[in-house]
Amino acid sequence: MPAIYILDIPEFEPILRTALIAGMEQEDLDGYLRVSTSESEIVLERRHTDVRPAVWFAALTGGLEGRIVHFDFDRLHLAEVVPS
């Protein structure tokens, strides 16, 4: 189950909103928001967030669960970690 931890500050609200529209679920933590999906993978696109690149690239500073498949200027693709 991929998840990202987003700082609970207004600058990251567009990323949170985009994650929720993509079907992710929100859990409020102490100063962070954990957004996760029951799907094995999730893709978020920066163009849907309308945030500047500096905020976009800071989206994972709170941490994550899963593995990064792809993370660039336009797209964040996360997948669950499958035990081998």
Side-chain angles (χ1 to χ4, degrees):
M1 173 185 296
I4 57 176
Y5 293 84
I6 300 173
L7 277 172
D8 189 9
I9 58 175
E11 289 81 359
F12 290 107
E13 194 281 332
I15 296 172
L16 171 65
R17 185 179 59 243
T18 298
L20 296 177
I21 290 171
M24 297 181 84
E25 297 179 12
Q26 174 185 342
E27 177 183 355
D28 296 340
L29 302 174
D30 187 25
Y32 290 88
L33 303 167
R34 179 181 185 268
V35 287
S36 62
T37 179
S38 60
E39 302 293 326
S40 62
E41 297 186 18
I42 187 75
V43 175
L44 301 177
E45 296 190 26
R46 189 176 68 86
R47 66 185 166 100
H48 295 300
T49 66
D50 201 30
V51 296
R52 294 181 173 267
V55 173
W56 175 251
F57 284 114
L60 300 180
T61 56
L64 66 100
E65 295 172 26
R67 64 183 175 88
I68 299 170
V69 176
H70 186 89
F71 187 30
D72 68 7
F73 194 82
D74 299 313
R75 194 168 66 134
L76 169 61
H77 181 178
L78 297 175
E80 69 181 341
V81 174
V82 178
S84 53

